[in-house]
Amino acid sequence: MANLSEDNGEETPLQVRLNGVATFIGMVGLSVAGVVLGVLAIRYFTGHTKNPDGTVQFRAGTTGLKQGFMGAIRILTIAVTIVVVAVPEGLPLAVTLTLAYSMRKMMRDKALVRRLSSCETMGSATTICSDKTGTLTLNKMTVVEAHFIGTRLDPCDDVRAISSSSAALLIEGIAQNTTGTVFLPEDGGAADVTGSPTEKAILSWGLKIGMDFNNVRSKSSVLHVFPFNSEKKRGGVAVQSDTEVHIHWKGAAELVLSSCKSWLSLDGSVQPMGAQKRNEYKKSIEDMAKSSLRCVAFAYCLCDIEKIPKEDIADWKLPEEDLTLLGIVGIKDPCRPGVRNAVQLCKNAGVKVRMVTGDNIETAKAIALECGILDANGVISEPFVIEGRAFREMSEIARGEIADKITVMGRSSPNDKLLLVQALKRKGHVVAVTGDGTNDAPALHEADIGLAMGMSGTEVAKESSDIIILDDDFTSVVKVVRWGRSVYANIQKFIQFQLTVNVAALVINVIAAVSSGDVPLNAVELLWVNLIMDTLGALALATEPPTDNLMKRQPVGRREPLVTNIMWRNLFVQAIYQIAILLIFNFSGKKILRLQNESPDNAEKMKNTFIFNTFVFCQIFNEFNARKPEERNVFKGVTKNHLFMGIVCVTTVFQILIVEFLGKFFKIVRLNWSLWLVSVAIGVVSWPLAYLGKFIPVPVRPLQAYFKPCWKSSRRDEEEGRQG
């Protein structure tokens, strides 16, 4: 609980990137608005700004106060509008829409999102630390091998060779040292066994060897219980029958074996545990583990009744040394179908899957080979395969050096999992962790994405997680990665679309303002463009479904820039085209559009209306290009996204209504059919232009990296100047 109460307050990888992009765009917008405000003010008050008819707008000493004030207000409005267009206030909306849409869709893939931002973080995951039991395996356990009285039982429930006293002792340990129960129906039907999968497997096997659960438990009374401990990997119970007290232990086979000084022979006599016999048992454990079996050992010891404390029995520490080994069972937990393919899909996507389990290291290796986590032709030794104890005993520096190499960690405690997560995060990884137990909660909390199991997970684990996997299946975890990458890709699409509009609108207005003292796109028009860009654009691009190509890319991790070189290329191609065309029409539009016969005021309005209409249609057609930043066919699957098509149609209809019927409000005029066709044609050109633009090669090194040396050197000069 102390670990869970610590709020690390970390921002997700996407939040860090978005803050950087939003700050950069905002600063550029404010700077440009400041320049425009200054230029327009100087031009206006020095008498260089003219009306469409050629008259000067402001003359010092002649123009009235009211007229001069209104002129200043108009200039301020233009500057403020530029800031509004430049500042990406639609970015949070786009992110939230994308996350909410993905969250709803992920429910169909058996993933319940508890923390919205975890959707996108999962897309940046570079490694997944997965449990074995129940996630990679089915968690349907059965005893398939048993070693008792120094020999292997064949079949595993054939105990005829065991003496009745030895069998009774074993059955007592199974029935009393358990957290499960057995219910026998009155009609004589099959017994109903409850408990954890391991307990159910052992109790079911106990019934096969002749255990009468209720009768055995009634013959002896429980004095004290030591619950199963994930650190010691064992659990014990003290039971009293008549005058004898038996201490029964059950747990990890090699750990229980190490505490045994004797073993039970065929005739029920206790024999000392010699080196040869110990090695035989170790060999049996290794063989079972290599067959991907979970090995559980049973042992007991007698306790003098006088040594049992009369008071404070709750604090009594059960004897756990000098034990007598009763036997060892091997429990089979088959791999989930489809796990091998899911692991291979992760490998192809550049996401490393690591198995962290409390099981024997040999069992962990066998399951990892079966699931495809380990390669049979690869290195299957330390540090790629390591025990939790060895990792725990290393220094923090040593753990950091080998954390990247670890693929399988066996006999790990929950704290080992936490240490591994911390080491991987320090190396720059975005870490996803799966867990189901209460003890997994600190690792789930520490990880960038905590994935709790919905069926077998405890409430504490679920509360500490970001996403709950409802079917406990690893294939569902891979689907979450796919959706996470889709979220990231959709946000990138929106940013490319938004930056294109920003760059084009800013450059057009700045050049027009500096050269003529007026802007072709007025405040109301830019606010409509802002609405298209922010709200409707976000909604259209946020609902793009994930594609198979997403799982063929490498993960973006923590350090890769949000705006990639491919996005910069697409952005510049479209922005340069829009700027060039619209500035040509801004300066020579009257002549090109043959508006010389119109009155100066009407010609100016028609030209500006045409520029506004063309600019909007450029954005509508560029919205299709934003769907597929890397693919040449931008129309692939477009008809399946009904919301996208609906938004494009609604935007087009609203643009027609604005130009044709809301001219007074927008300070524009109606256009004839020929000007409408020219506007649409200029917008359509963005499609072939985008296709050709994708043949332009881009450097591997991010564009931002080219500016870092300059920034660093300027910072260095500044610091040296201060020291001087």
Side-chain angles (χ1 to χ4, degrees):
M1 287 306 293
N3 285 335
L4 296 181
S5 63
E6 294 175 7
D7 184 14
N8 50 29
E10 288 183 6
E11 291 183 316
T12 66
L14 181 65
Q15 284 173 333
V16 173
R17 293 185 180 97
L18 285 175
N19 289 343
V21 170
T23 303
F24 173 73
I25 296 171
M27 287 173 66
V28 171
L30 282 169
S31 303
V32 170
V35 171
V36 169
L37 180 64
V39 170
L40 288 180
I42 292 168
R43 285 185 62 93
Y44 181 75
F45 289 112
T46 56
H48 288 84
T49 305
K50 296 179 181 179
N51 292 311
D53 58 3
T55 58
V56 177
Q57 289 186 1
F58 182 86
R59 289 182 186 277
T62 307
T63 305
L65 181 63
K66 184 180 178 181
Q67 190 179 344
F69 180 73
M70 292 307 293
I73 291 295
R74 186 179 63 82
I75 292 167
L76 186 63
T77 305
I78 292 168
V80 170
T81 307
I82 288 173
V83 174
V84 170
V85 173
V87 173
E89 68 273 13
L91 208 50
L93 175 66
V95 173
T96 306
L97 282 172
T98 309
L99 294 175
Y101 171 77
S102 302
M103 177 183 174
R104 193 166 131 267
K105 292 290 185 181
M106 282 163 73
M107 275 294 288
R108 298 180 186 176
D109 287 334
K110 307 297 182 186
L112 173 64
V113 179
R114 294 186 68 251
R115 192 164 63 92
L116 206 56
S117 60
S118 61
C119 294
E120 55 83 6
T121 311
M122 195 65 191
S124 304
T126 56
T127 184
I128 300 172
C129 298
S130 176
D131 267 348
K132 176 184 77 69
T133 308
T135 308
L136 297 169
T137 61
L138 285 169
N139 210 12
K140 293 179 179 176
M141 301 189 187
T142 49
V143 174
V144 295
E145 194 169 326
H147 290 258
F148 284 92
I149 58 170
T151 186
R152 179 182 174 182
L153 303 185
D154 191 18
C156 67
D157 54 1
D158 183 4
V159 291
R160 286 174 297 179
I162 302 177
S163 65
S164 56
S165 60
S166 299
L169 201 57
L170 173 64
I171 287 170
E172 182 185 68
I174 293 172
Q176 292 287 22
N177 190 15
T178 182
T179 55
T181 56
V182 177
F183 174 72
L184 294 168
E186 292 180 1
D187 59 5
D192 183 20
V193 182
T194 62
S196 69
T198 306
E199 295 285 5
K200 285 167 72 174
I202 292 170
L203 288 172
S204 298
W205 178 74
L207 293 172
K208 289 179 182 177
I209 64 173
M211 176 182 72
D212 185 337
F213 185 76
N214 294 325
N215 185 41
V216 172
R217 286 173 74 93
S218 65
K219 286 181 179 178
S220 56
S221 59
V222 175
L223 298 176
H224 184 53
V225 175
F226 178 82
F228 179 83
N229 185 301
S230 57
E231 294 289 336
K232 293 194 172 184
K233 303 290 183 189
R234 66 174 78 178
V237 64
V239 295
Q240 183 177 2
S241 57
D242 300 329
T243 57
E244 284 190 333
V245 174
H246 295 156
I247 312 293
H248 286 280
W249 287 97
K250 175 180 71 181
E254 70 274 21
L255 299 180
V256 172
L257 177 64
S258 65
S259 299
C260 291
K261 297 293 190 290
S262 55
W263 60 284
L264 211 60
S265 66
L266 187 66
D267 58 2
S269 62
V270 176
Q271 303 292 329
M273 181 75 74
Q276 183 181 349
K277 199 67 186 175
R278 189 180 296 276
N279 289 334
E280 282 179 19
Y281 276 117
K282 281 184 178 178
K283 181 72 166 57
S284 300
I285 293 168
E286 284 177 14
D287 290 343
M288 285 193 283
K290 285 175 182 175
S291 302
S292 70
L293 301 184
R294 172 178 280 188
C295 303
V296 177
F298 301 89
Y300 91 107
C301 67
L302 290 169
C303 182
D304 192 340
I305 200 165
E306 293 177 359
K307 291 182 180 179
I308 300 171
K310 305 296 181 186
E311 297 176 0
D312 299 327
I313 195 168
D315 298 326
W316 180 34
K317 187 180 178 184
L318 295 180
E320 50 186 323
E321 299 299 329
D322 297 329
L323 304 181
T324 300
L325 184 69
L326 295 174
I328 302 167
V329 294
I331 302 171
K332 180 71 175 174
D333 184 13
C335 274
R336 284 183 179 273
V339 159
R340 192 176 184 87
N341 292 337
V343 170
Q344 188 57 48
L345 201 61
C346 282
K347 286 183 177 179
N348 296 341
V351 180
K352 183 166 183 175
V353 181
R354 305 168 200 268
M355 181 198 288
V356 185
T357 177
D359 273 352
N360 181 299
I361 194 75
E362 294 298 331
T363 306
K365 280 198 281 190
I367 292 287
L369 284 166
E370 197 176 334
C371 294
I373 293 172
L374 282 176
D375 184 1
N377 300 320
V379 181
I380 310 178
S381 60
E382 208 171 297
F384 298 94
V385 178
I386 194 169
E387 281 201 347
R389 184 181 59 189
F391 183 71
R392 190 187 320 142
E393 290 172 352
M394 290 179 180
S395 66
E396 188 175 305
I397 295 169
R399 284 199 295 266
E401 287 173 354
I402 71 156
D404 259 340
K405 298 175 183 176
I406 293 172
T407 307
V408 173
M409 186 184 286
R411 283 287 175 246
S412 68
S413 69
N415 196 50
D416 298 334
K417 188 187 280 190
L418 178 62
L419 290 172
L420 178 61
V421 170
Q422 290 169 340
L424 288 168
K425 285 180 73 176
R426 281 194 294 271
K427 296 283 282 185
H429 284 283
V430 178
V431 187
V433 169
T434 69
D436 54 7
T438 300
N439 289 332
D440 290 325
L444 290 169
H445 181 71
E446 178 69 24
D448 293 290
I449 317 101
L451 301 152
M453 300 298 111
M455 294 168 71
S456 60
T458 62
E459 286 304 311
V460 176
K462 291 175 187 176
E463 285 296 320
S464 304
S465 68
D466 303 303
I467 298 172
I468 298 172
I469 305 300
L470 299 175
D471 59 356
D472 291 14
D473 195 341
F474 186 77
T475 53
S476 297
V477 176
V478 179
K479 289 175 185 174
V480 173
V481 175
R482 190 167 177 260
W483 272 108
R485 292 192 171 191
S486 175
V487 168
Y488 190 84
N490 286 350
I491 290 168
Q492 283 187 313
K493 292 171 189 176
F494 172 73
I495 288 172
Q496 179 186 306
F497 176 62
Q498 185 179 46
L499 285 179
T500 305
V501 184
N502 282 356
V503 171
L506 285 175
V507 174
I508 291 164
N509 270 9
V510 168
I511 293 175
V514 171
S515 58
S516 64
D518 203 357
V519 289
L521 300 169
N522 65 44
V524 182
E525 290 169 350
L526 284 176
L527 288 173
W528 165 236
V529 171
N530 212 32
L531 185 65
I532 298 172
M533 176 178 69
D534 286 348
T535 312
L536 298 176
L539 198 59
L541 295 170
T543 54
E544 281 290 312
T547 60
D548 292 333
N549 288 336
L550 291 171
M551 294 302 284
K552 294 174 184 175
R553 302 176 184 175
Q554 292 299 301
V556 292
R558 288 185 189 278
R559 298 183 177 93
E560 287 77 1
L562 185 60
V563 184
T564 63
N565 285 357
I566 288 171
M567 291 167 67
W568 282 120
R569 178 197 63 193
N570 299 343
L571 186 158
F572 285 133
V573 166
Q574 293 297 328
I576 290 168
Y577 166 69
Q578 292 177 22
I579 290 164
I581 288 291
L582 296 179
L583 283 178
I584 289 169
F585 279 105
N586 185 58
F587 295 116
S588 306
K590 293 176 186 177
K591 186 178 179 182
I592 297 170
L593 301 173
R594 299 176 184 175
L595 302 174
Q596 294 94 332
N597 297 329
E598 300 286 338
S599 65
D601 187 53
N602 196 45
E604 186 71 20
K605 280 187 177 180
M606 285 188 75
K607 180 199 74 173
N608 287 345
T609 303
F610 174 80
I611 290 171
F612 164 60
N613 201 40
T614 305
F615 186 66
V616 169
F617 274 102
C618 281
Q619 310 323 319
I620 291 171
F621 289 109
N622 190 38
E623 208 160 350
F624 287 86
N625 298 329
R627 288 183 65 248
K628 307 283 182 183
E630 296 179 26
E631 296 178 35
R632 293 188 181 119
N633 182 8
V634 297
F635 304 108
K636 186 179 178 182
V638 70
T639 52
K640 294 178 182 176
N641 191 342
H642 303 300
L643 187 60
F644 180 89
M645 294 303 295
I647 287 170
V648 169
C649 292
V650 167
T651 308
T652 306
V653 169
F654 269 105
Q655 180 63 18
I656 294 168
L657 291 173
I658 286 168
V659 174
E660 293 299 315
F661 302 105
L662 298 173
K664 190 173 181 182
F665 182 72
F666 278 79
K667 296 180 183 176
I668 54 178
V669 293
R670 288 184 176 184
L671 298 176
N672 57 44
W673 64 269
S674 59
L675 292 180
W676 271 102
L677 287 177
V678 174
S679 289
V680 173
I682 291 170
V684 169
V685 171
S686 67
W687 286 347
L689 195 67
Y691 180 83
L692 295 171
K694 283 165 187 172
F695 287 96
I696 300 171
V698 295
V700 176
R701 189 182 180 192
L703 185 66
Q704 294 90 320
Y706 291 98
F707 299 101
K708 282 182 180 177
C710 306
W711 182 77
K712 284 179 181 175
S713 62
S714 64
R715 283 288 299 270
R716 200 182 303 117
D717 294 342
E718 189 180 323
E719 286 173 9
E720 286 173 3
R722 283 177 187 168
Q723 289 170 1

